[in-house]
Amino acid sequence: MRLQSLPSAQPRFFIGVDGGGSGTRVRLVDDRGRALGQGEAGPSALGQGIEQAWEHVQLAIERAFAQAGLPLAAAADCALGLGLAGAHTPARCDRFMAAAPAYARVALDTDAGTALRGAHRGAPGSIVAAGTGSVGEALRCDGRRVSVGGWGFGIGDEGSGGWLGLASVRIAQRALDGRASAGPLARAVWRVAGGQRDALLDWAAVAGQHGFARLAPLVFDSADADPAARRLLDEAAHALVEMAAALDPAAELPLVLIGSIAKRLAPRLPKEWLALVVAPHGDAIDGALLLAREPRVLA
């Protein structure tokens, strides 16, 4: 986590920011915690550029004040808590904080970190998040924070939508080659990405993480009729269990599943892990607001 504050600042407004590779969401509250407005803007993942991140964060803040019917407050009157994708890289965090306007307080964590805070209201617990990518975070009872996964598309993100999509394209490739039979999943991928070698190669060359993740629903839709799709879903569920076990070896912490893929895989988790699953107290923006109000490092 990164933190910087103005001496003796007394913020009038607290702003929670949840920023990723597809968009930025902001919630504005007053010093009593009353919700005033919300705003959205483009992506603010740090890996896409520091200048862009601040541009979209500030645009979303402007829109939140506008929705609240308020003039944009001076930065010195605002405390900002941010959970941003890519904030696990120290050099990026340093550049982002160096470019920060003079807010009363700026507290930066990863989007997984603020999701963890929001899910358990800052109390011990764990999260396993699987959407386009995957990551796990936990705050253990001894106060130690642990992160697993989140290594990124192609080399990690097991159990995620991107991982499922990439695996389904491999199945489609093998079927095209005649190395495997063409089941319902392979044929579904062909309909989206191309049923000829050149077409499938061209599609895969430009798809990127989000393009592959858009194939993940095909795996779920094919599972009843296709053993290959079922095996992929079982492997994905096992990957989420591995993350949960690494976060909480004693299986004693409440567990929140976050993201569309994690929720769809939940019925495939073993009973002992499903027994730990609880509903989240809040989301990543709630966690970012906690960060803005009570900035502290979860070590």
Tab-separated table of all heavy atoms in Angstrom, residues 200-248:
chain	number	residue	atom	x	y	z
A	200	LEU	N	-8.567	-19.173	-37.514
A	200	LEU	CA	-8.360	-19.328	-36.072
A	200	LEU	C	-7.034	-18.699	-35.640
A	200	LEU	O	-6.948	-18.070	-34.580
A	200	LEU	CB	-8.408	-20.808	-35.696
A	200	LEU	CG	-8.426	-21.153	-34.203
A	200	LEU	CD1	-9.549	-20.434	-33.475
A	200	LEU	CD2	-8.566	-22.662	-34.003
A	201	LEU	N	-6.003	-18.854	-36.463
A	201	LEU	CA	-4.720	-18.212	-36.162
A	201	LEU	C	-4.858	-16.697	-36.139
A	201	LEU	O	-4.332	-16.018	-35.252
A	201	LEU	CB	-3.665	-18.634	-37.189
A	201	LEU	CG	-3.083	-20.040	-37.041
A	201	LEU	CD1	-2.271	-20.409	-38.275
A	201	LEU	CD2	-2.225	-20.133	-35.786
A	202	ASP	N	-5.565	-16.144	-37.121
A	202	ASP	CA	-5.753	-14.688	-37.174
A	202	ASP	C	-6.525	-14.195	-35.955
A	202	ASP	O	-6.183	-13.166	-35.358
A	202	ASP	CB	-6.497	-14.293	-38.453
A	202	ASP	CG	-5.629	-14.400	-39.699
A	202	ASP	OD1	-4.392	-14.462	-39.556
A	202	ASP	OD2	-6.198	-14.410	-40.807
A	203	TRP	N	-7.563	-14.928	-35.566
A	203	TRP	CA	-8.369	-14.519	-34.401
A	203	TRP	C	-7.512	-14.543	-33.137
A	203	TRP	O	-7.515	-13.582	-32.357
A	203	TRP	CB	-9.560	-15.454	-34.244
A	203	TRP	CG	-10.481	-15.067	-33.119
A	203	TRP	CD1	-11.569	-14.266	-33.187
A	203	TRP	CD2	-10.351	-15.454	-31.735
A	203	TRP	NE1	-12.137	-14.128	-31.948
A	203	TRP	CE2	-11.402	-14.837	-31.037
A	203	TRP	CE3	-9.442	-16.252	-31.048
A	203	TRP	CZ2	-11.580	-15.004	-29.666
A	203	TRP	CZ3	-9.614	-16.416	-29.680
A	203	TRP	CH2	-10.678	-15.803	-29.010
A	204	ALA	N	-6.770	-15.622	-32.934
A	204	ALA	CA	-5.973	-15.763	-31.714
A	204	ALA	C	-4.860	-14.722	-31.636
A	204	ALA	O	-4.483	-14.294	-30.534
A	204	ALA	CB	-5.385	-17.166	-31.629
A	205	ALA	N	-4.355	-14.290	-32.780
A	205	ALA	CA	-3.240	-13.337	-32.784
A	205	ALA	C	-3.638	-11.982	-32.239
A	205	ALA	O	-2.787	-11.238	-31.738
A	205	ALA	CB	-2.690	-13.191	-34.204
A	206	VAL	N	-4.916	-11.629	-32.317
A	206	VAL	CA	-5.340	-10.291	-31.892
A	206	VAL	C	-6.336	-10.321	-30.733
A	206	VAL	O	-6.738	-9.276	-30.236
A	206	VAL	CB	-5.966	-9.514	-33.074
A	206	VAL	CG1	-4.945	-9.327	-34.188
A	206	VAL	CG2	-7.214	-10.218	-33.617
A	207	ALA	N	-6.726	-11.518	-30.286
A	207	ALA	CA	-7.800	-11.605	-29.292
A	207	ALA	C	-7.433	-10.970	-27.967
A	207	ALA	O	-8.237	-10.253	-27.355
A	207	ALA	CB	-8.185	-13.072	-29.080
A	208	GLY	N	-6.231	-11.213	-27.461
A	208	GLY	CA	-5.841	-10.700	-26.152
A	208	GLY	C	-6.638	-11.364	-25.038
A	208	GLY	O	-7.522	-12.198	-25.261
A	209	GLN	N	-6.334	-10.970	-23.821
A	209	GLN	CA	-6.965	-11.584	-22.651
A	209	GLN	C	-8.486	-11.470	-22.694
A	209	GLN	O	-9.204	-12.438	-22.434
A	209	GLN	CB	-6.428	-10.931	-21.381
A	209	GLN	CG	-7.010	-11.506	-20.095
A	209	GLN	CD	-6.503	-10.785	-18.865
A	209	GLN	OE1	-6.009	-9.661	-18.946
A	209	GLN	NE2	-6.611	-11.416	-17.714
A	210	HIS	N	-8.993	-10.296	-23.040
A	210	HIS	CA	-10.438	-10.100	-23.011
A	210	HIS	C	-11.124	-10.897	-24.108
A	210	HIS	O	-12.235	-11.421	-23.911
A	210	HIS	CB	-10.765	-8.614	-23.122
A	210	HIS	CG	-10.402	-7.840	-21.901
A	210	HIS	ND1	-11.226	-7.764	-20.799
A	210	HIS	CD2	-9.296	-7.132	-21.594
A	210	HIS	CE1	-10.641	-7.031	-19.861
A	210	HIS	NE2	-9.468	-6.638	-20.316
A	211	GLY	N	-10.475	-11.018	-25.284
A	211	GLY	CA	-11.047	-11.819	-26.347
A	211	GLY	C	-11.158	-13.286	-25.966
A	211	GLY	O	-12.192	-13.934	-26.192
A	212	PHE	N	-10.096	-13.819	-25.359
A	212	PHE	CA	-10.155	-15.210	-24.910
A	212	PHE	C	-11.193	-15.375	-23.802
A	212	PHE	O	-11.921	-16.375	-23.771
A	212	PHE	CB	-8.781	-15.671	-24.423
A	212	PHE	CG	-7.835	-16.030	-25.541
A	212	PHE	CD1	-6.847	-15.147	-25.948
A	212	PHE	CD2	-7.939	-17.254	-26.185
A	212	PHE	CE1	-5.975	-15.469	-26.969
A	212	PHE	CE2	-7.072	-17.589	-27.212
A	212	PHE	CZ	-6.078	-16.696	-27.612
A	213	ALA	N	-11.280	-14.404	-22.906
A	213	ALA	CA	-12.248	-14.514	-21.809
A	213	ALA	C	-13.684	-14.550	-22.320
A	213	ALA	O	-14.557	-15.159	-21.683
A	213	ALA	CB	-12.062	-13.356	-20.834
A	214	ARG	N	-13.941	-13.935	-23.462
A	214	ARG	CA	-15.299	-13.948	-24.009
A	214	ARG	C	-15.721	-15.349	-24.479
A	214	ARG	O	-16.910	-15.585	-24.728
A	214	ARG	CB	-15.427	-12.937	-25.146
A	214	ARG	CG	-15.507	-11.496	-24.660
A	214	ARG	CD	-15.986	-10.566	-25.765
A	214	ARG	NE	-14.984	-10.376	-26.790
A	214	ARG	CZ	-14.057	-9.428	-26.764
A	214	ARG	NH1	-14.008	-8.580	-25.745
A	214	ARG	NH2	-13.188	-9.309	-27.753
A	215	LEU	N	-14.757	-16.258	-24.599
A	215	LEU	CA	-15.087	-17.643	-24.953
A	215	LEU	C	-15.481	-18.475	-23.740
A	215	LEU	O	-16.021	-19.576	-23.895
A	215	LEU	CB	-13.892	-18.311	-25.643
A	215	LEU	CG	-13.402	-17.689	-26.956
A	215	LEU	CD1	-12.202	-18.459	-27.469
A	215	LEU	CD2	-14.506	-17.658	-27.999
A	216	ALA	N	-15.201	-17.993	-22.538
A	216	ALA	CA	-15.451	-18.791	-21.331
A	216	ALA	C	-16.905	-19.252	-21.214
A	216	ALA	O	-17.146	-20.411	-20.826
A	216	ALA	CB	-15.033	-18.006	-20.093
A	217	PRO	N	-17.905	-18.410	-21.536
A	217	PRO	CA	-19.289	-18.920	-21.444
A	217	PRO	C	-19.551	-20.134	-22.319
A	217	PRO	O	-20.418	-20.956	-21.988
A	217	PRO	CB	-20.128	-17.714	-21.904
A	217	PRO	CG	-19.287	-16.518	-21.574
A	217	PRO	CD	-17.881	-16.963	-21.845
A	218	LEU	N	-18.814	-20.287	-23.424
A	218	LEU	CA	-18.996	-21.455	-24.281
A	218	LEU	C	-18.641	-22.739	-23.547
A	218	LEU	O	-19.225	-23.800	-23.803
A	218	LEU	CB	-18.135	-21.334	-25.540
A	218	LEU	CG	-18.329	-20.089	-26.412
A	218	LEU	CD1	-17.401	-20.139	-27.621
A	218	LEU	CD2	-19.780	-19.957	-26.847
A	219	VAL	N	-17.653	-22.666	-22.642
A	219	VAL	CA	-17.250	-23.845	-21.879
A	219	VAL	C	-18.395	-24.274	-20.958
A	219	VAL	O	-18.749	-25.458	-20.893
A	219	VAL	CB	-15.970	-23.571	-21.078
A	219	VAL	CG1	-15.494	-24.840	-20.386
A	219	VAL	CG2	-14.865	-23.014	-21.973
A	220	PHE	N	-18.994	-23.312	-20.262
A	220	PHE	CA	-20.125	-23.633	-19.384
A	220	PHE	C	-21.309	-24.149	-20.200
A	220	PHE	O	-21.963	-25.124	-19.801
A	220	PHE	CB	-20.532	-22.398	-18.588
A	220	PHE	CG	-19.558	-22.008	-17.514
A	220	PHE	CD1	-18.584	-21.052	-17.759
A	220	PHE	CD2	-19.615	-22.582	-16.257
A	220	PHE	CE1	-17.682	-20.672	-16.775
A	220	PHE	CE2	-18.719	-22.221	-15.257
A	220	PHE	CZ	-17.750	-21.260	-15.521
A	221	ASP	N	-21.575	-23.504	-21.335
A	221	ASP	CA	-22.730	-23.897	-22.139
A	221	ASP	C	-22.567	-25.287	-22.742
A	221	ASP	O	-23.574	-25.961	-23.028
A	221	ASP	CB	-22.950	-22.888	-23.267
A	221	ASP	CG	-23.353	-21.506	-22.752
A	221	ASP	OD1	-23.763	-21.408	-21.586
A	221	ASP	OD2	-23.243	-20.538	-23.527
A	222	SER	N	-21.329	-25.730	-22.959
A	222	SER	CA	-21.077	-27.027	-23.590
A	222	SER	C	-20.920	-28.162	-22.591
A	222	SER	O	-20.840	-29.333	-22.990
A	222	SER	CB	-19.800	-26.949	-24.441
A	222	SER	OG	-19.882	-25.935	-25.417
A	223	ALA	N	-20.875	-27.847	-21.315
A	223	ALA	CA	-20.460	-28.837	-20.318
A	223	ALA	C	-21.393	-30.047	-20.237
A	223	ALA	O	-20.934	-31.172	-20.019
A	223	ALA	CB	-20.336	-28.177	-18.950
A	224	ASP	N	-22.694	-29.847	-20.406
A	224	ASP	CA	-23.621	-30.979	-20.289
A	224	ASP	C	-23.378	-32.028	-21.370
A	224	ASP	O	-23.575	-33.227	-21.134
A	224	ASP	CB	-25.067	-30.489	-20.357
A	224	ASP	CG	-25.509	-29.770	-19.091
A	224	ASP	OD1	-24.815	-29.916	-18.063
A	224	ASP	OD2	-26.525	-29.062	-19.144
A	225	ALA	N	-22.938	-31.567	-22.545
A	225	ALA	CA	-22.807	-32.483	-23.683
A	225	ALA	C	-21.374	-32.842	-24.027
A	225	ALA	O	-21.158	-33.727	-24.863
A	225	ALA	CB	-23.481	-31.864	-24.921
A	226	ASP	N	-20.398	-32.185	-23.398
A	226	ASP	CA	-19.008	-32.341	-23.837
A	226	ASP	C	-18.098	-32.660	-22.653
A	226	ASP	O	-17.873	-31.804	-21.783
A	226	ASP	CB	-18.543	-31.060	-24.524
A	226	ASP	CG	-17.238	-31.246	-25.291
A	226	ASP	OD1	-16.417	-32.082	-24.881
A	226	ASP	OD2	-17.038	-30.529	-26.292
A	227	PRO	N	-17.547	-33.861	-22.599
A	227	PRO	CA	-16.629	-34.209	-21.497
A	227	PRO	C	-15.405	-33.303	-21.422
A	227	PRO	O	-14.904	-33.038	-20.321
A	227	PRO	CB	-16.217	-35.651	-21.823
A	227	PRO	CG	-17.290	-36.177	-22.697
A	227	PRO	CD	-17.786	-35.002	-23.495
A	228	ALA	N	-14.921	-32.807	-22.571
A	228	ALA	CA	-13.753	-31.917	-22.556
A	228	ALA	C	-14.076	-30.623	-21.833
A	228	ALA	O	-13.247	-30.088	-21.080
A	228	ALA	CB	-13.296	-31.631	-23.987
A	229	ALA	N	-15.281	-30.093	-22.053
A	229	ALA	CA	-15.685	-28.869	-21.362
A	229	ALA	C	-15.818	-29.120	-19.867
A	229	ALA	O	-15.408	-28.289	-19.041
A	229	ALA	CB	-17.000	-28.351	-21.943
A	230	ARG	N	-16.368	-30.277	-19.496
A	230	ARG	CA	-16.508	-30.590	-18.070
A	230	ARG	C	-15.143	-30.694	-17.410
A	230	ARG	O	-14.961	-30.240	-16.275
A	230	ARG	CB	-17.299	-31.891	-17.889
A	230	ARG	CG	-18.775	-31.767	-18.226
A	230	ARG	CD	-19.575	-32.926	-17.656
A	230	ARG	NE	-19.228	-34.205	-18.273
A	230	ARG	CZ	-19.755	-34.663	-19.403
A	230	ARG	NH1	-20.641	-33.926	-20.060
A	230	ARG	NH2	-19.411	-35.848	-19.871
A	231	ARG	N	-14.205	-31.309	-18.105
A	231	ARG	CA	-12.856	-31.420	-17.525
A	231	ARG	C	-12.234	-30.044	-17.310
A	231	ARG	O	-11.579	-29.806	-16.281
A	231	ARG	CB	-11.964	-32.271	-18.434
A	231	ARG	CG	-12.252	-33.759	-18.361
A	231	ARG	CD	-11.130	-34.572	-18.996
A	231	ARG	NE	-11.024	-34.320	-20.430
A	231	ARG	CZ	-11.690	-35.013	-21.351
A	231	ARG	NH1	-12.527	-35.980	-20.992
A	231	ARG	NH2	-11.514	-34.744	-22.636
A	232	LEU	N	-12.438	-29.140	-18.258
A	232	LEU	CA	-11.903	-27.784	-18.087
A	232	LEU	C	-12.511	-27.105	-16.866
A	232	LEU	O	-11.800	-26.445	-16.096
A	232	LEU	CB	-12.184	-26.933	-19.328
A	232	LEU	CG	-11.304	-27.119	-20.550
A	232	LEU	CD1	-11.654	-26.073	-21.602
A	232	LEU	CD2	-9.832	-27.019	-20.184
A	233	LEU	N	-13.803	-27.247	-16.679
A	233	LEU	CA	-14.448	-26.608	-15.528
A	233	LEU	C	-13.972	-27.228	-14.225
A	233	LEU	O	-13.780	-26.511	-13.229
A	233	LEU	CB	-15.971	-26.707	-15.652
A	233	LEU	CG	-16.591	-25.952	-16.830
A	233	LEU	CD1	-18.110	-26.128	-16.831
A	233	LEU	CD2	-16.232	-24.469	-16.791
A	234	ASP	N	-13.772	-28.534	-14.216
A	234	ASP	CA	-13.239	-29.174	-13.013
A	234	ASP	C	-11.821	-28.691	-12.714
A	234	ASP	O	-11.467	-28.461	-11.547
A	234	ASP	CB	-13.249	-30.695	-13.175
A	234	ASP	CG	-14.651	-31.282	-13.112
A	234	ASP	OD1	-15.555	-30.602	-12.591
A	234	ASP	OD2	-14.833	-32.421	-13.590
A	235	GLU	N	-10.996	-28.536	-13.760
A	235	GLU	CA	-9.643	-28.012	-13.569
A	235	GLU	C	-9.680	-26.574	-13.055
A	235	GLU	O	-8.881	-26.191	-12.183
A	235	GLU	CB	-8.871	-28.067	-14.883
A	235	GLU	CG	-8.487	-29.462	-15.331
A	235	GLU	CD	-7.789	-29.452	-16.683
A	235	GLU	OE1	-7.158	-28.431	-17.016
A	235	GLU	OE2	-7.897	-30.454	-17.415
A	236	ALA	N	-10.598	-25.783	-13.591
A	236	ALA	CA	-10.711	-24.397	-13.145
A	236	ALA	C	-11.123	-24.339	-11.681
A	236	ALA	O	-10.573	-23.555	-10.892
A	236	ALA	CB	-11.724	-23.653	-14.015
A	237	ALA	N	-12.102	-25.164	-11.284
A	237	ALA	CA	-12.536	-25.189	-9.890
A	237	ALA	C	-11.392	-25.630	-8.983
A	237	ALA	O	-11.195	-25.073	-7.888
A	237	ALA	CB	-13.736	-26.123	-9.732
A	238	HIS	N	-10.617	-26.616	-9.424
A	238	HIS	CA	-9.474	-27.076	-8.630
A	238	HIS	C	-8.455	-25.962	-8.451
A	238	HIS	O	-7.854	-25.820	-7.368
A	238	HIS	CB	-8.831	-28.285	-9.298
A	238	HIS	CG	-7.676	-28.845	-8.542
A	238	HIS	ND1	-7.812	-29.485	-7.328
A	238	HIS	CD2	-6.336	-28.834	-8.813
A	238	HIS	CE1	-6.632	-29.857	-6.894
A	238	HIS	NE2	-5.710	-29.472	-7.766
A	239	ALA	N	-8.256	-25.142	-9.499
A	239	ALA	CA	-7.315	-24.023	-9.395
A	239	ALA	C	-7.770	-23.027	-8.331
A	239	ALA	O	-6.947	-22.486	-7.576
A	239	ALA	CB	-7.171	-23.331	-10.748
A	240	LEU	N	-9.078	-22.781	-8.250
A	240	LEU	CA	-9.580	-21.864	-7.226
A	240	LEU	C	-9.404	-22.453	-5.832
A	240	LEU	O	-9.075	-21.734	-4.877
A	240	LEU	CB	-11.054	-21.542	-7.482
A	240	LEU	CG	-11.407	-20.895	-8.823
A	240	LEU	CD1	-12.838	-20.359	-8.787
A	240	LEU	CD2	-10.438	-19.786	-9.209
A	241	VAL	N	-9.598	-23.751	-5.707
A	241	VAL	CA	-9.389	-24.413	-4.411
A	241	VAL	C	-7.923	-24.327	-4.006
A	241	VAL	O	-7.598	-24.097	-2.825
A	241	VAL	CB	-9.864	-25.876	-4.473
A	241	VAL	CG1	-9.435	-26.640	-3.226
A	241	VAL	CG2	-11.375	-25.930	-4.625
A	242	GLU	N	-7.018	-24.499	-4.967
A	242	GLU	CA	-5.596	-24.377	-4.654
A	242	GLU	C	-5.272	-22.994	-4.115
A	242	GLU	O	-4.479	-22.852	-3.168
A	242	GLU	CB	-4.759	-24.658	-5.903
A	242	GLU	CG	-4.675	-26.115	-6.289
A	242	GLU	CD	-3.754	-26.354	-7.476
A	242	GLU	OE1	-3.676	-25.456	-8.345
A	242	GLU	OE2	-3.137	-27.414	-7.536
A	243	MET	N	-5.873	-21.959	-4.707
A	243	MET	CA	-5.642	-20.603	-4.210
A	243	MET	C	-6.191	-20.445	-2.800
A	243	MET	O	-5.521	-19.894	-1.916
A	243	MET	CB	-6.274	-19.575	-5.151
A	243	MET	CG	-5.466	-19.314	-6.401
A	243	MET	SD	-5.978	-17.809	-7.270
A	243	MET	CE	-7.387	-18.423	-8.146
A	244	ALA	N	-7.412	-20.907	-2.595
A	244	ALA	CA	-8.021	-20.794	-1.266
A	244	ALA	C	-7.190	-21.509	-0.215
A	244	ALA	O	-6.998	-21.001	0.904
A	244	ALA	CB	-9.444	-21.353	-1.298
A	245	ALA	N	-6.663	-22.695	-0.553
A	245	ALA	CA	-5.864	-23.459	0.398
A	245	ALA	C	-4.529	-22.791	0.693
A	245	ALA	O	-4.032	-22.841	1.829
A	245	ALA	CB	-5.634	-24.875	-0.139
A	246	ALA	N	-3.935	-22.149	-0.324
A	246	ALA	CA	-2.679	-21.440	-0.090
A	246	ALA	C	-2.901	-20.213	0.787
A	246	ALA	O	-2.044	-19.854	1.608
A	246	ALA	CB	-2.058	-21.029	-1.425
A	247	LEU	N	-4.044	-19.576	0.639
A	247	LEU	CA	-4.356	-18.405	1.456
A	247	LEU	C	-4.656	-18.787	2.899
A	247	LEU	O	-4.292	-18.070	3.837
A	247	LEU	CB	-5.573	-17.680	0.872
A	247	LEU	CG	-5.397	-16.999	-0.478
A	247	LEU	CD1	-6.766	-16.624	-1.053
A	247	LEU	CD2	-4.525	-15.758	-0.354
A	248	ASP	N	-5.316	-19.910	3.072
A	248	ASP	CA	-5.854	-20.280	4.379
A	248	ASP	C	-5.652	-21.783	4.599
A	248	ASP	O	-6.598	-22.572	4.505
A	248	ASP	CB	-7.353	-19.926	4.402
A	248	ASP	CG	-8.038	-20.260	5.710
A	248	ASP	OD1	-7.325	-20.406	6.730
A	248	ASP	OD2	-9.278	-20.379	5.706
